[in-house]
Amino acid sequence: MRRSGKIGWFLHDVKNRGITAWLISGVLLLFYVLLYFTEELQPLVKLLGFDKKPFEGKWTLYGLLYTFAIVTGGGWMLYKYRHNKYQIVRTIVVMFVQTTLAFSVPIWLNFIDQPAYYFSYLWPLKIEYFYPSSILWMPIPFIVYSILGSLILVPVLGIFFGKRWYCSWVCGCGGLANTFGEPWRHLTSKSEASWKFEKYSIHITLVFSILTTALVVISYGVGAKYPEFVETTKTVQKTYGLLVSSILSGVVGVGLYPIGGTRIWCRNFCPMAAFLGLIQKFGRFRITVKENMCISCGMCTKYCEMGIDVRAYAQRNQSFVRASCVGCGLCAEVCPRGVLRLENSSEPHPQELTMNALIHESWKQKPHRKAL
């Protein structure tokens, strides 16, 4: 419900593509362009002392702002969903991972003369962690973690918990979307056209990341014999870095939060989301639907940040698994009748009764008049 007065107008304007939302989007877009493609932030970097060891210049500044956005947005999430244990725990974990593994730990590693390593990011999202020129210069524990984490930990946890263990609990991209980006989650397109675009775009990006990684690895091994191949690989590598790592993940992915919703990057372009989505289709995670209880209010669909038409499944009494679902749990949170439930088992919860079962149980327990 819209609040009255100027504050109500302002909040509505921010959340619903008003002039304020467009201004915020413009500021975000400008910031990311300056960050990725210029050195205009250097005066601020020097002022804060981030140009000296153990800091990493403008990237430490970016990390600080990113962490601040997640922590402040997370504080609001904790207040807003203070009655929901799942959201409280999930938000606290996201805030902890960002402040430690994605910000403080890399700085500390630099301080002790070790390479900065971001333990919360794995291949294929952090594609350079499989580049020989990067990974082979790291300490052996980091190399082992990169390989085993990406090829074993990610898929195994994906089978048991779906995408949510990473996309909604660990990843900084999802963390920012679910904290700082919370006011705009409902803006994600629910159209069939956007779903069709998503199916192709996200898997094309995954293939692009695998191809780029393979070319870089092969180039490292045969580079001395095939210099032309090395140059081609460098071009592909730079293209991936520019298009995927900079423009799609940052400029578009975050810059358009107030206009297109908070999961543009995660839904359409993230290679890790694509990888985990394929695993999730064959795993244990699903959203269950209590039969014959949906009143078609549409709140679940409206607040799905991944653009899934959750109501359509609830209306059909159909539990479901969607590759794009990140398990944020907000569809279950906003449902006024508790129709939806996030589960990691193929079997329904033993205490979960459908409306038909409730009616049947009530009929058996209550005395009834005999027919005259």
Side-chain angles (χ1 to χ4, degrees):
M1 182 180 294
R2 178 174 172 176
R3 294 173 58 180
S4 60
K6 294 182 179 179
I7 295 179
W9 174 87
F10 175 76
L11 293 176
H12 184 270
D13 201 58
V14 169
K15 296 179 181 180
N16 294 278
R17 299 192 181 103
I19 184 64
T20 312
W22 283 94
L23 289 174
I24 295 173
S25 182
V27 171
L28 290 172
L29 288 169
L30 177 61
F31 170 76
Y32 274 96
V33 169
L34 294 177
L35 175 70
Y36 284 122
F37 307 116
T38 75
E39 296 299 324
E40 296 298 323
L41 297 176
Q42 282 304 117
L44 181 57
V45 169
K46 291 182 179 180
L47 179 64
L48 296 174
F50 290 160
D51 57 330
K52 303 173 183 177
K53 191 178 178 180
F55 305 114
E56 297 184 308
K58 63 181 181 180
W59 301 114
T60 298
L61 172 63
Y62 178 47
L64 178 64
L65 294 174
Y66 203 98
T67 302
F68 177 77
I70 287 181
V71 171
T72 53
W76 166 245
M77 283 286 290
L78 291 175
Y79 173 76
K80 183 177 181 180
Y81 299 110
R82 57 191 180 277
H83 56 279
N84 188 313
K85 183 178 179 181
Y86 180 81
Q87 297 301 330
I88 291 174
V89 175
R90 184 174 72 89
T91 302
I92 290 175
V93 170
V94 164
M95 294 165 66
F96 173 78
V97 170
Q98 176 60 34
T99 54
T100 55
L101 301 184
F103 184 65
S104 302
V105 170
I107 294 176
W108 176 75
L109 288 171
N110 271 336
F111 182 76
I112 61 173
D113 295 322
Q114 295 294 326
Y117 189 89
Y118 297 81
F119 288 91
S120 57
Y121 293 99
L122 294 164
W123 183 91
L125 178 58
K126 193 74 170 174
I127 191 172
E128 56 266 36
Y129 281 176
F130 268 25
Y131 290 169
S133 58
S134 297
I135 192 173
L136 294 180
W137 294 98
M138 294 181 182
I140 292 179
F142 293 2
I143 298 175
V144 173
Y145 177 80
S146 293
I147 296 174
L148 297 184
S150 301
L151 301 181
I152 296 179
L153 181 67
V154 168
V156 168
L157 291 180
I159 290 173
F160 285 96
F161 302 105
K163 292 169 68 171
R164 63 171 167 168
W165 82 267
Y166 189 78
C167 298
S168 287
W169 288 71
V170 175
C171 179
C173 306
L176 188 70
N178 287 159
T179 52
F180 171 74
E182 174 65 16
W184 302 296
R185 67 162 39 245
H186 62 287
L187 299 179
T188 301
S189 174
K190 313 302 191 295
S191 69
E192 184 177 350
S194 64
W195 174 67
K196 289 181 178 179
F197 175 79
E198 165 201 334
K199 283 200 306 180
Y200 291 103
S201 62
I202 196 167
H203 294 111
I204 288 174
T205 308
L206 175 60
V207 171
F208 190 13
S209 68
I210 295 173
L211 176 63
T212 302
T213 304
L215 289 175
V216 171
V217 172
I218 295 172
S219 173
Y220 186 84
V222 302
K225 296 181 179 179
Y226 302 97
E228 293 182 358
F229 179 75
V230 173
E231 291 303 315
T232 301
T233 299
K234 288 182 179 179
T235 301
V236 173
Q237 189 176 348
K238 289 180 180 178
T239 302
Y240 185 92
L242 173 64
L243 180 61
V244 179
S245 301
S246 299
I247 296 176
L248 294 179
S249 70
V251 179
V252 174
V254 180
L256 295 182
Y257 268 16
I259 307 302
T262 57
R263 291 279 190 169
I264 296 174
W265 159 252
C266 308
R267 179 185 181 186
N268 298 293
F269 306 111
C270 177
M272 178 66 88
F275 181 42
L276 280 169
L278 294 174
I279 295 171
Q280 180 165 275
K281 293 288 287 185
F282 304 98
R284 296 166 61 90
F285 172 75
R286 79 196 197 287
I287 295 181
T288 59
V289 175
K290 294 182 181 179
E291 295 181 10
N292 303 326
M293 291 187 68
C294 176
I295 58 175
S296 301
C297 67
M299 294 293 286
C300 53
T301 295
K302 178 181 179 180
Y303 286 98
C304 177
E305 59 186 350
M306 299 303 288
I308 301 172
D309 188 1
V310 182
R311 177 175 60 178
Y313 291 99
Q315 288 173 328
R316 296 197 300 266
N317 297 322
Q318 180 182 348
S319 298
F320 64 96
V321 177
R322 283 285 293 270
S324 58
C325 177
V326 293
C328 68
L330 261 295
C331 58
E333 159 64 21
V334 299
C335 177
R337 303 198 69 191
V339 176
L340 305 167
R341 184 187 185 96
L342 279 66
E343 294 192 356
N344 292 319
S345 173
S346 58
E347 297 296 328
H349 193 279
Q351 296 180 346
E352 184 176 298
L353 294 176
T354 64
M355 181 60 76
N356 286 337
L358 284 171
I359 294 174
H360 181 66
E361 291 295 322
S362 299
W363 179 265
K364 289 196 304 182
Q365 293 173 8
K366 292 181 179 180
H368 301 283
R369 294 182 181 179
K370 294 182 179 180
L372 298 176

